[in-house]
Amino acid sequence: MEKEGRRRLRVVLVPAPFQGHINPMLQLGSILHSNGFSITVVHAQYNSPKPSSHPDFSFLSLPDTSTDRKMSRDDELVPFVSQLNAKCKARFRECLADQVMMSRQQGKTDDAIACIIYDEVMHFSEETAKDLNLPSIILRTGSASHFLTRSALVQLIKTEGHLPFLEFRSHDLVPELYPLRFKDLPHSIFKNLDKLLQIVSEASDNKTYSAIIHNTTACLENSSLAKIQQQCQVPIFSIGPMHKIASASSSSLWEEDNSCLAWLDKQSCNSVIYVSLGSLAFMDAKELVEMAWGLVNSQQPFLWVVRPGSVHGAEWIEILAKCFKENIDERGYIVKWVPQKKVLAHDAVGGFLSNCGWNSTLESICEGVPMICRPCFGDQGVNARYVSHIWKVGLELESELERGKIEKAVRRLLVDEEGKEMRKRAKNLKDIVELCTREGGSSNNSLKELIEMIMSF
Ligand code: UDP
């Protein structure tokens, strides 16, 4: 509902062009729009969002920002982001400068740009905000606990001169980061450590932003949020899980296959394991085959998303032999992309085998669905550890994908007593998180403060 009688201000959003970043940014847009703000989304050409799904927003595509880098491996992410920032910088300035000048010359107070909210990854935005004298706010789309690992890593490098990620220490607890073990830290990025450190220092050299928004909630990450606030001079607003507050429009980059919902309708309550490794992870052909047999051998119904192009050397699932497909019968349903929030909300889904991307983790928690954690890279190890060790609403799948381990994990979650206990805890956590987003809850209060701050700019 739009707020009456307020001066209508415009907020410029700069999402990072990845599914797990676009979703929360557009959710934030929809929350702000329903609180009376106009929204302009400025985006790169790569993975551009679909304007037709968000008719209330204006979209501005930054010209010449397609990048020649293809991301076919997880460790290509950091160089990709670096190139993207370099390409977008000048374009963003040109694009906004015209708009700001026009509105200032016309002396317009209505529809004036109140601030820029940018994904932390798109740190080029900060300089433009400073040049144009516009306030800026950062959106962090990952978990707060993951963010803390970054400063801890930089500190470790300073004190030890290197990163002590030796195999034999991988199960040791990281000092100051309980409950995280060395193996939970975002180690795939270390292949690009120099670039990463450069990005971190560039981002922190420009400390002129006014606030930081986290898509999380105090009832999930209170102590991590408190630590971040201690380290930080500006207010932190934890207003998540945003998908529960925003209107339900989809920002999927892939076409959603809704036929899986009819298939789920035919399954019994809590019987299905839903499997997805998110929008960025890759697997090799052997892992695909192991996953397939693990799911079949578990004897439980499964709904499995295999993103096209996510299996090295294959277009989709053509590698799975005919005899495997015959073995699935009606028990398995393999698709390219699903409306995930609807899937998780379906009564038939009893568990989620997930890469533990932060959005998926929040979406699963919000539907009370316990998880099998199969982290791949980035923040996923941290999220997985919190799911299994702090909130105790999931179990961890050991790193190597092997059919026996997958079969066992699925049965532990869906059939065994242990899984039933996890489901009870997951339902309980769902209720707790829901309260945070309601009137008087911590996320709701934080959102009100954020809106007041933007109005005051
Ligand atoms: N998602 C979806 N359909 C799918 C698989 C994923 O809509 O078939 C969405 C999911 O709901 C989540 C996002 O894609 O919002 C993935 O983000 P996440 O942070 O979980 O993981 P990432 O893709 O960044 O690794």
Side-chain angles (χ1 to χ4, degrees):
M1 205 179 41
E2 279 189 21
K3 299 281 174 275
E4 297 297 327
R6 266 188 190 169
R7 187 164 63 108
R8 197 161 183 98
L9 292 172
R10 184 164 292 278
V11 174
V12 173
L13 304 180
V14 188
F18 311 109
Q19 186 74 76
H21 291 244
I22 292 171
N23 290 1
M25 185 62 92
L26 295 186
Q27 286 154 10
L28 177 63
S30 132
I31 294 168
L32 293 176
H33 186 266
S34 66
N35 278 281
F37 295 95
S38 301
I39 301 295
T40 297
V41 180
V42 181
H43 61 89
Q45 284 170 327
Y46 177 82
N47 272 351
S48 62
K50 290 191 190 107
S52 58
S53 306
H54 305 273
D56 293 330
F57 300 174
S58 311
F59 285 83
L60 275 176
S61 175
L62 295 174
D64 305 326
T65 50
S66 55
T67 125
D68 49 12
R69 281 183 184 274
K70 287 273 165 292
M71 285 208 302
S72 50
R73 289 197 329 265
D74 314 329
D75 59 11
E76 287 165 344
L77 200 59
V78 174
F80 180 90
V81 163
S82 187
Q83 191 189 63
L84 187 70
N85 270 280
K87 285 213 160 200
C88 289
K89 198 169 174 170
R91 295 298 179 194
F92 184 55
R93 203 190 177 293
E94 286 160 18
C95 166
L96 269 200
D98 289 349
Q99 301 227 344
V100 171
M101 191 136 43
M102 257 177 354
S103 119
R104 282 180 186 158
Q105 274 170 357
Q106 290 164 3
K108 272 167 78 181
T109 52
D110 224 35
D111 206 37
I113 297 176
C115 68
I116 298 174
I117 303 183
Y118 65 93
D119 189 306
E120 182 177 44
V121 165
M122 307 296 268
H123 57 83
F124 67 86
S125 313
E126 185 62 38
E127 207 172 301
T128 297
K130 206 154 66 176
D131 288 352
L132 299 178
N133 213 8
L134 286 169
S136 65
I137 295 177
I138 286 179
L139 171 66
R140 288 191 184 138
T141 60
S143 62
S145 309
H146 163 252
F147 176 76
L148 281 178
T149 63
R150 208 166 67 185
S151 39
L153 282 172
V154 174
Q155 196 52 41
L156 263 173
I157 298 169
K158 274 192 195 145
T159 50
E160 306 221 7
H162 67 290
L163 287 167
F165 289 95
L166 306 174
E167 281 302 308
F168 66 89
R169 291 190 63 185
S170 75
H171 280 80
D172 288 1
L173 288 172
V174 186
E176 314 284 330
L177 284 181
Y178 180 83
L180 302 179
R181 302 155 301 180
F182 282 104
K183 78 191 272 278
D184 303 319
L185 297 177
H187 40 82
S188 57
I189 53 172
F190 300 140
K191 292 178 196 147
N192 294 297
L193 200 57
D194 293 347
K195 273 256 178 296
L196 181 79
L197 290 176
Q198 189 195 335
I199 291 176
V200 170
S201 82
E202 273 174 25
S204 52
D205 283 351
N206 285 317
K207 278 186 187 150
T208 50
Y209 46 85
S210 305
I212 299 171
I213 302 171
H214 272 274
N215 185 20
T216 187
T217 165
C219 63
L220 288 176
E221 298 196 278
N222 197 23
S223 72
S224 298
L225 283 165
K227 276 190 203 157
I228 294 175
Q229 186 64 85
Q230 269 169 18
Q231 293 173 3
C232 183
Q233 317 296 323
V234 296
I236 305 280
F237 298 110
S238 54
I239 63 168
M242 292 197 287
H243 75 278
K244 276 302 196 195
I245 308 167
S247 64
S249 57
S250 158
S251 39
S252 263
L253 294 169
W254 289 269
E255 198 180 330
E256 293 170 344
D257 182 341
N258 283 295
S259 68
C260 63
L261 299 172
W263 180 83
L264 283 173
D265 287 342
K266 290 189 231 147
Q267 314 302 322
S268 47
C269 188
N270 287 337
S271 67
V272 174
I273 182 81
Y274 165 56
V275 185
S276 166
L277 299 183
S279 64
L280 289 169
F282 294 90
M283 51 171 36
D284 58 32
K286 182 171 175 292
E287 290 174 319
L288 183 84
V289 171
E290 289 302 305
M291 179 72 94
W293 282 111
L295 293 173
V296 166
N297 294 345
S298 77
Q299 306 280 321
Q300 290 297 124
F302 62 89
L303 169 61
W304 182 12
V305 174
V306 183
R307 205 178 71 247
S310 65
V311 180
H312 293 304
E315 298 232 327
W316 192 42
I317 53 168
E318 62 277 11
I319 291 165
L320 295 181
K322 191 164 169 275
C323 81
F324 166 77
K325 290 185 190 142
E326 279 161 6
N327 263 292
I328 323 181
D329 303 322
E330 293 284 289
R331 207 161 1 98
Y333 204 70
I334 308 181
V335 286
K336 295 180 175 168
W337 194 253
V338 297
Q340 181 165 296
K341 292 194 286 285
K342 288 186 192 158
V343 164
L344 287 168
H346 199 288
D347 284 348
V349 173
F352 182 10
L353 196 166
S354 170
N355 65 324
C356 293
W358 185 237
N359 294 283
S360 295
T361 304
L362 287 176
E363 289 161 15
S364 207
I365 288 175
C366 287
E367 298 305 335
V369 176
M371 301 170 86
I372 297 174
C373 306
R374 207 285 169 180
C376 302
F377 65 94
D379 62 344
Q380 298 160 12
V382 175
N383 304 337
R385 183 74 169 155
Y386 272 74
V387 167
S388 62
H389 204 78
I390 298 289
W391 307 315
K392 297 189 168 46
V393 294
L395 50 94
E396 209 183 329
L397 189 63
E398 282 164 47
S399 50
E400 195 197 340
L401 274 188
E402 190 267 315
R403 64 186 75 185
K405 288 178 183 158
I406 296 164
E407 175 190 342
K408 197 165 155 222
V410 173
R411 295 195 64 80
R412 271 175 73 195
L413 195 71
L414 290 183
V415 184
D416 294 355
E417 208 44 49
E418 183 188 3
K420 290 187 187 132
E421 289 301 316
M422 271 179 211
R423 187 157 309 107
K424 271 193 217 153
R425 283 195 293 273
K427 299 277 180 225
N428 188 32
L429 189 60
K430 166 192 163 143
D431 293 342
I432 293 173
V433 171
E434 206 172 294
L435 283 179
C436 287
T437 60
R438 293 232 190 106
E439 187 64 34
S442 64
S443 294
N444 186 272
N445 290 340
S446 223
L447 176 61
K448 285 183 187 154
E449 286 164 22
L450 169 69
I451 289 168
E452 258 174 42
M453 175 183 253
I454 302 177
M455 292 298 297
S456 73
F457 286 145

